[in-house]
Structure formats: C-alpha cells, structure tokens
Amino acid sequence: GINAEYGGTFLMEFGMLSRLTGDPVYEHAARRALDALFNARSKIDLVGNHIDISRGEWIFREAGIGGNVDSYYEYLLKGGLFFEDFELISQFKVLYNAVVKNLQHDFWYIWGSMFNGNPSMPSVSTLDAFWPSLQILIGDIKSAVRTLSNFFSLISTLVSPRRCSVC
C-alpha cells in the first residue's frame, strides 16, 4: 500500500512538467492518482491514510490531517488554485467540510474512523500545522485563527523561551 499523501505530492511537479514540455501525460498521471483517492473516500467523505492501489482498498482507515495524508490535502487545494482547476478545488472543499464536520474538536483535528468519524487517536502532531494555511487559502480565516491559536497555546505551554535555542 501507499500513503495517501503520495497521491497528491506529484501534482505540482508533474503538472508543471507537462506544461513546460507540452506533453500532458505527466499531469494526467498525477491527476488520475488524485481522482482515484477522492473516489475512494468513504460515504462521509473522509479518506484513510494508506491504500492498496492495486485493489483500491484502504489498508489503514484512520482519517486525519497529519502525516501520511497531509500532502494529499495540501496539493489538492494548491494544485487546484495554481492550475485554476476548479474540480480539484471542489474536491478539496468536499473533503475539508468532512474533516471539519467529523474530525474537528474545538479547532483541534484528531484522527478518527474514515467511516464514522469516531475518534481513534486523539493526538496532534507538527505535521498538522499546515492546515491553517489551507484554511486561509479557501477563505476560512476565522477557523485558521482558532487553529493557529491552539497551536500557539500548545507551544507556549510546552516550550520555555529560556530553553528554546531558536526563540
């Protein structure tokens, strides 16, 4: 199986390669990967984090925004905006709304079942920190501020400026 993030990671590079060479094959391959992941989402519009690409079945069915899936969300939206591909932006919005509805708890985004959203791993990682930038890009500024405030609060609690070599 592969991490869901790999399905999104190549869009920017392969899309640009197609446009520079005039050969659409690269962008089409990256786009097929994005579409396959989107089409494999659950009935509540969540995606897992590892999929068996030969069978199209999810191996790890936990949905979240962090590691193993973060780049999928990121490049789905950024690729849609960069290439002015409104279908990709629409796909992102479907997934974004599902994440907010099923995985958001007081502007923390935790791991849960992709089938019902029930929490499976109530944790946060540094790989979640990209999410507010996507919230800003789609115009959900209030949510981005709340999410960033949560991260700031966590960092302020855990990191003392006297012990932080980069502060």
Side-chain angles (χ1 to χ4, degrees), residues 9-77:
T9 303
F10 301 109
L11 179 65
M12 298 295 286
E13 292 86 354
F14 281 27
M16 187 54 67
L17 182 60
S18 282
R19 287 154 197 250
L20 291 172
T21 63
D23 186 350
V25 68
Y26 308 108
E27 186 172 347
H28 288 160
R31 182 56 191 269
R32 279 195 317 273
L34 283 170
D35 289 341
L37 285 173
F38 183 76
N39 292 331
R41 71 193 186 283
S42 70
K43 291 179 182 176
I44 61 169
D45 293 325
L46 292 173
V47 295
N49 62 59
H50 280 76
I51 191 167
D52 180 328
I53 57 172
S54 63
R55 294 181 298 166
E57 295 177 10
W58 291 101
I59 298 169
F60 295 110
R61 297 169 178 93
E62 288 77 34
I65 63 167
N68 299 329
V69 72
D70 52 335
S71 294
Y72 171 59
Y73 293 121
E74 184 177 6
Y75 289 104
L76 189 62
L77 179 58

Side-chain angles (χ1 to χ4, degrees), residues 74-130:
E74 184 177 6
Y75 289 104
L76 189 62
L77 179 58
K78 289 180 179 178
L81 294 170
F82 185 78
F83 295 120
E84 298 180 341
D85 187 326
F86 300 108
E87 185 178 344
L88 293 178
I89 295 168
S90 176
Q91 288 179 6
F92 175 81
K93 287 180 179 181
V94 166
L95 298 173
Y96 177 80
N97 289 332
V99 166
V100 169
K101 179 180 179 182
N102 296 288
L103 304 177
Q104 176 189 280
H105 298 276
D106 198 27
F107 294 91
W108 290 109
Y109 299 86
I110 65 171
W111 291 91
S113 165
M114 68 179 283
F115 300 108
N116 57 29
N118 290 341
S120 61
M121 196 168 42
S123 64
V124 177
S125 97
T126 56
L127 294 175
D128 299 352
F130 79 101

Side-chain angles (χ1 to χ4, degrees), residues 134-155:
L134 299 186
Q135 292 175 308
I136 289 168
L137 286 173
I138 62 164
D140 193 358
I141 306 302
K142 288 181 182 181
S143 294
V145 169
R146 295 279 310 271
T147 305
L148 283 169
S149 293
N150 281 351
F151 276 108
F152 180 75
S153 173
L154 181 64
I155 291 168

